[in-house]
Amino acid sequence: MRIGIQLPEVEREVRWHEYAATAKAAEEVGFDSIWVGDHYLYRDDGRPERGPWEAWTMLAALAGITSRVSLGPLVACLGFHEPAVLAKMAATVDEVSGGRLVLGVGAGWNQTEFDAFGIPYDHRVARFEESYEIVRRLLDGERVTFRGSYAHVDDAVLLPSPTRRPKLMIGSSGNRMLAATLPTVDVWNTWFDEYGNSLEDYAALRDRIGDACSSAGRDPADVERSVCVLVAVGDGVGERSTPDGIEPIGGSMRQVSDQLSGLADLGVAEVIIVADPINERSVRELGEVVAPLREP
């Protein structure tokens, strides 16, 4: 099993030097991947107004200071960019990183940021379906002409030609989103609140995704499983706001190790730890768990 970690998002205001130190620490202690959220603005949820740095600029910078870890957006909202432009951005980050990008994609959900930044929020899944086809085909090396209800390109091509198509990951459990992506994606990812952060509920969700793979004409074994896990490091500090009823794994590194081992037994290929708090110290402490569980 591979183990990744999400870098800070809006738990507090974090500047570049801390991102860089945390990413370097993650690579040093043995994490396989690092991830950044793709959001612009949070407000109106009872907490102060806040927002993270722009994800693709951050990924390019992180690619330049790391050498081994995979990296990607968790997940990229296809509605934030014209699809051909996003494909160009993804190909560039993959080139800069030496082929380490995993392109996680989704439709977005936080209407506040769509409205504030002038991005259409209507028909999100329909817009995603059209954008996904354009992005995928361009990254596959195709010359693409496509005219949909919301997106169009005319003889678009990526030059210089990408050296490979980045691994594609869908970050959704919605039936329509799965139908649109499971025929072609490499990985399916779920956030911790979609399965209650528990092994029992994940097993049920895994079985539903397996059925969706079969319905899409894919062998479920051909689509990797990626699972986000909420982990309290030490006593935790409550930096991350979580839905009611979701309990972080924690209390001891043994409990964290047992949870990750249980997910491995359920066929998970990669666990992405969402740590509370998320800082360099937490990353180094979690490194004690990572080494024994990583793929040989």
Side-chain angles (χ1 to χ4, degrees):
M1 183 173 65
R2 303 186 305 278
I3 304 177
I5 192 157
Q6 186 189 38
L7 297 183
E9 189 183 34
V10 292
E11 296 84 354
R12 62 189 186 285
E13 184 176 289
V14 178
R15 296 286 167 168
W16 166 245
H17 69 87
E18 184 176 350
Y19 277 100
T22 305
K24 289 177 180 178
E27 187 165 70
E28 178 185 332
V29 302
F31 279 95
D32 297 290
S33 59
I34 56 177
W35 303 84
V36 298
D38 185 21
H39 287 283
Y40 292 159
L41 182 66
Y42 291 88
R43 60 159 69 113
D44 302 329
D45 59 355
R47 300 181 66 190
E49 185 176 64
R50 62 209 187 281
W53 299 106
E54 198 281 317
W56 286 97
T57 310
M58 184 65 68
L59 286 168
L62 292 168
I65 64 166
T66 57
S67 60
R68 178 185 57 80
V69 289
S70 298
L71 68 167
L74 192 65
V75 289
C77 176
L78 294 195
F80 286 174
H81 304 277
E82 291 293 332
V85 174
L86 180 64
K88 185 77 170 179
M89 293 158 58
T92 303
V93 170
D94 195 58
E95 174 72 16
V96 170
S97 68
R100 292 184 285 130
L101 177 70
V102 178
L103 179 53
V105 296
W109 57 269
N110 179 14
Q111 186 171 352
T112 292
E113 59 195 347
F114 283 79
D115 293 345
F117 282 78
I119 302 167
Y121 188 75
D122 63 301
H123 305 289
R124 284 179 300 123
V125 177
R127 292 177 185 275
F128 173 89
E129 291 167 335
E130 294 183 4
S131 293
Y132 177 75
E133 179 173 348
I134 293 170
V135 170
R136 177 189 61 79
R137 290 174 60 191
L138 284 171
L139 290 173
D140 272 337
E142 293 185 38
R143 184 178 293 271
V144 180
T145 295
F146 178 93
R147 292 195 173 273
S149 298
Y150 308 101
H152 70 272
V153 291
D154 185 5
D155 198 27
V157 63
L158 298 183
L159 296 173
S161 299
T163 55
R164 60 154 207 159
R165 189 199 78 178
K167 185 179 287 187
L168 294 175
M169 181 176 83
I170 176 61
S172 175
S173 299
N175 291 333
R176 188 171 166 188
M177 296 280 286
L178 293 173
T181 57
L182 285 179
T184 52
V185 294
D186 305 292
V187 186
W188 163 75
N189 171 266
T190 183
W191 193 245
F192 58 80
D193 63 0
E194 289 192 80
Y195 69 98
N197 214 41
S198 75
L199 294 176
E200 295 78 11
D201 290 339
Y202 170 72
L205 179 57
R206 175 202 60 178
D207 292 343
R208 182 168 78 80
I209 299 304
D211 291 342
C213 288
S214 298
S215 296
R218 293 287 297 279
D219 183 339
D222 291 339
V223 181
E224 286 189 359
R225 306 298 199 270
S226 168
V227 176
C228 297
V229 178
L230 179 62
V231 172
V233 182
D235 294 331
V237 295
E239 284 187 342
R240 172 170 286 277
S241 177
T242 57
D244 292 340
I246 303 296
E247 294 295 329
I249 307 303
S252 71
M253 288 297 107
R254 176 59 184 271
Q255 288 176 292
V256 176
S257 179
D258 288 348
Q259 182 81 354
L260 270 56
S261 295
L263 288 168
D265 291 341
L266 289 170
V268 173
E270 181 167 34
V271 167
I272 301 172
I273 294 176
V274 181
D276 187 8
I278 174 58
N279 51 41
E280 183 181 350
R281 180 176 179 179
S282 293
V283 166
R284 293 192 180 279
E285 186 171 346
L286 288 165
E288 300 174 12
V289 176
V290 169
L293 295 174
R294 288 180 62 213
E295 288 182 340

